[in-house]
Amino acid sequence: MNINDTVKLTTLSSKGGCGCKIGPADLRQVLQSLSPATVNPNLLVGLETNDDAGIYKLNDSTALVQTLDFFTPIVDDPYSFGQIAAANAISDVYAMGGTPITALNVVAFPIADLDKQILAAILEGASNKLEEAGVALVGGHSIDDKEPKFGLAVTGTIHPDKIRTNSGAQAGDVLILTKPIGVGVLTTSIKRGLLDETEIERVTEVMASLNKTAAETFDNYEVHACTDVTGFGLLGHTLEMAQASKKNIRISAQQVPVLPRVKQLAEEGAVPGGTKNNFNYLKEDVTFASSLDQIDQWILCDAVTSGGLLAAVNESDAKSLLAELKDKNIDAAIIGSVEEDDKGHINVEE
Ligand code: CO
Ligand code: CO
Ligand code: CO
């Protein structure tokens, strides 16, 4: 196959359009079955809290931030796929408040069946994003695999006192989201040929944009907790924050920015399996306003690739932070608030 043939990369992934992660229920079961690791005093953030990256303290002023992400193609254009995979992998370092410095490529590719130029384009897209983020590519590893997969392991640095976890949300905080949702429905729709070029470009641009500017802007404000919205969807990652912070969170559904045509496509059946799994996993911990139908509820759980940052911000900082983000052309919104209750429950209003 040649790069000029219209090879639809997304049709080569055996599962739905989201390059889905193993669901939270299954993953938790596996992790719980492991014998507890000996506690290393330098491991500041490990597996326990479902945070975005692990953090290991080197000395009093520097800690390493480490993360790894890879998935099957979610768009057909190989260069864009590389850009999205890199933006997504780096994002976990930004979510923790770190500065990404180096990256390694993780490659699975059917080298005998697909043109090598396709792989070259994927790698070029990734290195373009790494350059934009100021991250040095230091190597990688590739295997021959009939299903293409791509991602990166990213390392960053952070001051041990400046770590942003998902566990610091305080009652009264305002919740800010920095990218629109609906990516899982739209990438499933790409796979089914339901989007036009402009729509594909729009969702690609959302996924490929770095969370760098948003994360750097957060540095000037009192951000108590932060994570990025990815495979477990907006409500999945919000629930992780609520439970880790031992607070309730209230979400206003109509304030949540959703990409165009997502509701219509979802009504027509383009809801990925991963999104429904997310909903089933967390529905016990979420109370939805009765005016929200099943489609609205699924959209709030929609599996995202390379989503925005979700931050719990001191109420008095929220308005000026939002204004600064908007000034910098970030499509951010205030979507809810944190409440004094230790149940770790989510209430979704209309
Ligand atoms: Co993450
Ligand atoms: Co991740
Ligand atoms: Co190797």
Side-chain angles (χ1 to χ4, degrees):
M1 216 181 262
N2 188 284
I3 194 163
N4 299 318
D5 299 342
T6 43
V7 47
K8 297 203 71 165
L9 279 182
T10 55
T11 61
L12 300 171
S13 70
S14 56
K15 274 207 69 168
C18 60
C20 297
K21 296 185 186 188
I22 294 178
D26 292 323
L27 195 59
R28 205 154 283 182
Q29 241 179 20
V30 172
L31 293 176
Q32 274 166 0
S33 71
L34 301 176
S35 48
T38 40
V39 183
N40 183 319
N42 292 320
L43 186 62
L44 304 181
V45 177
L47 285 171
E48 310 75 32
T49 53
N50 300 309
D51 257 301
D52 297 289
I55 300 193
Y56 186 89
K57 183 172 142 182
L58 295 176
N59 55 50
D60 287 344
S61 62
T62 310
L64 281 182
V65 187
Q66 294 184 290
T67 181
L68 165 71
D69 261 302
F70 65 96
F71 40 75
T72 56
I74 45 158
V75 292
D76 289 308
D77 177 54
Y79 184 85
S80 301
F81 175 44
Q83 286 189 309
I84 292 166
N88 176 73
I90 302 167
S91 174
D92 282 326
V93 176
Y94 292 135
M96 304 298 294
T99 304
I101 52 170
T102 60
L104 297 157
N105 284 328
V106 180
V107 180
F109 194 78
I111 202 72
D113 304 335
L114 281 187
D115 193 304
K116 292 176 191 65
Q117 287 179 55
I118 293 174
L119 178 56
I122 294 172
L123 298 178
E124 199 183 321
S127 71
N128 155 287
K129 270 297 140 185
L130 293 175
E131 198 175 321
E132 186 186 333
V135 174
L137 180 70
V138 295
H141 185 74
S142 54
I143 60 163
D144 193 355
D145 186 351
K146 64 179 187 309
E147 185 184 59
K149 301 174 189 77
F150 179 68
L152 303 95
V154 182
T155 299
T157 56
I158 194 168
H159 192 288
D161 299 337
K162 301 219 163 120
I163 298 167
R164 285 183 205 131
T165 66
N166 61 13
S167 66
Q170 297 176 17
D173 282 354
V174 167
L175 224 55
I176 289 185
L177 175 69
T178 68
K179 283 188 192 181
I181 62 167
V183 164
V185 169
L186 293 180
T187 51
T188 299
S189 302
I190 292 177
K191 207 176 168 179
R192 297 184 187 171
L194 301 172
L195 299 195
D196 66 29
E197 274 312 308
T198 319
E199 290 169 329
I200 293 173
E201 270 167 36
R202 170 79 176 117
V203 66
T204 299
E205 186 190 301
V206 169
M207 292 187 285
S209 71
L210 289 173
N211 284 328
K212 181 178 200 285
T213 307
E216 287 170 357
T217 308
F218 287 176
D219 290 341
N220 308 325
Y221 296 88
E222 208 178 308
V223 172
H224 295 144
C226 185
T227 188
D228 60 354
V229 175
T230 53
F232 301 153
L234 174 62
L235 292 188
H237 293 283
T238 303
L239 186 64
E240 286 177 344
M241 184 181 283
Q243 292 179 337
S245 304
K246 299 187 174 65
K247 296 284 180 291
N248 278 9
I249 288 181
R250 184 169 296 275
I251 299 274
S252 165
Q254 53 182 320
Q255 304 300 324
V256 175
V258 181
L259 285 160
R261 225 155 71 80
V262 167
K263 180 140 192 193
Q264 180 213 332
L265 291 159
E267 278 165 348
E268 288 166 12
V271 179
T275 295
K276 292 177 183 170
N277 290 345
N278 289 342
F279 172 79
N280 291 331
Y281 175 74
L282 53 76
K283 63 183 179 202
E284 312 285 302
D285 296 304
V286 181
T287 307
F288 290 96
S290 57
S291 56
L292 299 170
D293 62 22
Q294 179 65 72
I295 299 291
D296 296 324
Q297 298 179 17
W298 275 334
I299 290 171
L300 292 168
C301 300
D302 190 33
V304 176
T305 299
S306 196
L309 298 178
L310 176 72
V313 187
N314 191 325
E315 191 189 6
S316 60
D317 278 11
K319 282 219 173 85
S320 42
L321 170 54
L322 185 69
E324 188 173 339
L325 290 169
K326 286 190 181 280
D327 270 356
K328 293 174 175 171
N329 285 320
I330 293 168
D331 202 356
I334 289 176
I335 62 159
S337 58
V338 180
E339 296 181 335
E340 190 54 76
D341 197 318
D342 61 4
K343 292 192 185 62
H345 192 84
I346 299 179
N347 290 302
V348 183
E349 295 171 344
E350 195 179 335

